[in-house]
Amino acid sequence: MPDYFLDIVYNNLTYGEKEVNLKEFECCTFNTCDFSQCNFIGVVFIDCTFNDCIFSGAKINHVALRSVFFNRCKIEDVNFAMCDKLIFEVHFKECVLDFSKFYTLKIKGTTFVDCSIIAVDFMSTNLTEVVFDNCDLYRSEFGKANASKTNFKTSYNYTIDPTKTNIKKAIFSLATLKGLLYKHDIIVT
């Protein structure tokens, strides 16, 4: 039985490799905490918020993220594809997610607001109704993803091949439409 923590605020902590393993956190807030050394195993976060935290390079194997909010966090090179897929719900605001992976996850309705999402793997991901609001998607990969009804309107630097990605009813702005036409080697002005 994992240790259970409810409605606790954690400030300015640096966690070791196994320090949070086999623990369940519900309605907790983490402020300016460093999880970069963690090798998460059997950890559950429910209705939790992370503010100004560092996850870069952390291994989040067998982690449940259920209604979790990340604000101004550094989450570089993190493989979310290893998370528990049951009720996986996350939201990101002003985060750096560069080089992370969401491969094959179902992240329907997830919001990414003012995020750096450079070279992120969204291959075969269910992105239905995801909102990318003012995000840099440079070199992110969307092959075989389902991006139907996804909102890319205010985001930029994406390259999406409509022949390899379902973009039915997705929303784009005219100014960034060239990201859908890149493979045709045409000039859009």
Side-chain angles (χ1 to χ4, degrees):
M1 181 86 180
D3 292 334
Y4 178 75
F5 303 91
L6 175 66
D7 202 23
I8 299 174
V9 176
Y10 299 91
N11 294 307
N12 304 307
L13 298 173
T14 299
Y15 292 95
E17 182 179 356
K18 299 176 183 177
E19 204 168 334
V20 295
N21 288 357
L22 303 174
K23 294 181 179 171
E24 185 172 323
F25 300 89
E26 186 170 357
C27 298
C28 292
T29 301
F30 297 84
N31 296 309
T32 322
C33 293
D34 187 344
F35 296 91
S36 61
Q37 299 304 310
C38 290
N39 184 5
F40 292 99
I41 295 174
V43 184
V44 177
F45 296 103
I46 301 169
D47 296 320
C48 290
T49 301
F50 295 90
N51 298 310
D52 305 295
C53 293
I54 301 171
F55 287 87
S56 297
K59 292 172 181 52
I60 57 172
N61 304 318
H62 315 292
V63 173
L65 298 171
R66 299 181 181 142
S67 198
V68 174
F69 292 82
F70 295 92
N71 300 304
R72 300 170 309 281
C73 294
K74 287 188 177 182
I75 314 172
E76 298 162 303
D77 196 27
V78 171
N79 188 356
F80 287 96
M82 298 302 296
C83 287
D84 181 351
K85 291 167 179 55
L86 181 68
I87 315 175
F88 179 84
E89 183 186 346
V90 290
H91 299 277
F92 302 94
K93 185 174 182 183
E94 298 176 29
C95 292
V96 177
L97 291 150
D98 302 349
F99 309 105
S100 291
K101 296 169 183 64
F102 290 89
Y103 178 76
T104 70
L105 280 174
K106 294 177 183 173
I107 60 172
K108 181 179 178 179
T110 296
T111 54
F112 297 87
V113 179
D114 297 322
C115 292
S116 177
I117 308 176
I118 295 172
V120 170
D121 183 352
F122 290 110
M123 290 179 66
S124 300
T125 301
N126 183 344
L127 297 165
T128 304
E129 299 175 353
V130 166
V131 174
F132 292 103
D133 184 3
N134 194 38
C135 295
D136 186 351
L137 294 163
Y138 181 71
R139 292 197 181 245
S140 286
E141 179 58 55
F142 294 93
K144 297 183 182 176
N146 179 1
S148 59
K149 299 181 183 177
T150 299
N151 189 334
F152 294 96
K153 188 174 181 179
T154 59
S155 289
Y156 50 94
N157 291 334
Y158 57 81
T159 50
I160 299 172
D161 184 344
T163 65
K164 295 180 181 177
T165 304
N166 177 1
I167 57 169
K168 187 175 183 177
K169 297 191 179 182
I171 301 167
F172 299 92
S173 74
L174 191 55
T176 59
L177 205 52
K178 67 183 177 187
L180 297 175
L181 304 170
Y182 76 98
K183 81 177 219 163
H184 300 291
D185 199 23
I186 60 175
I187 299 168
V188 179
T189 57

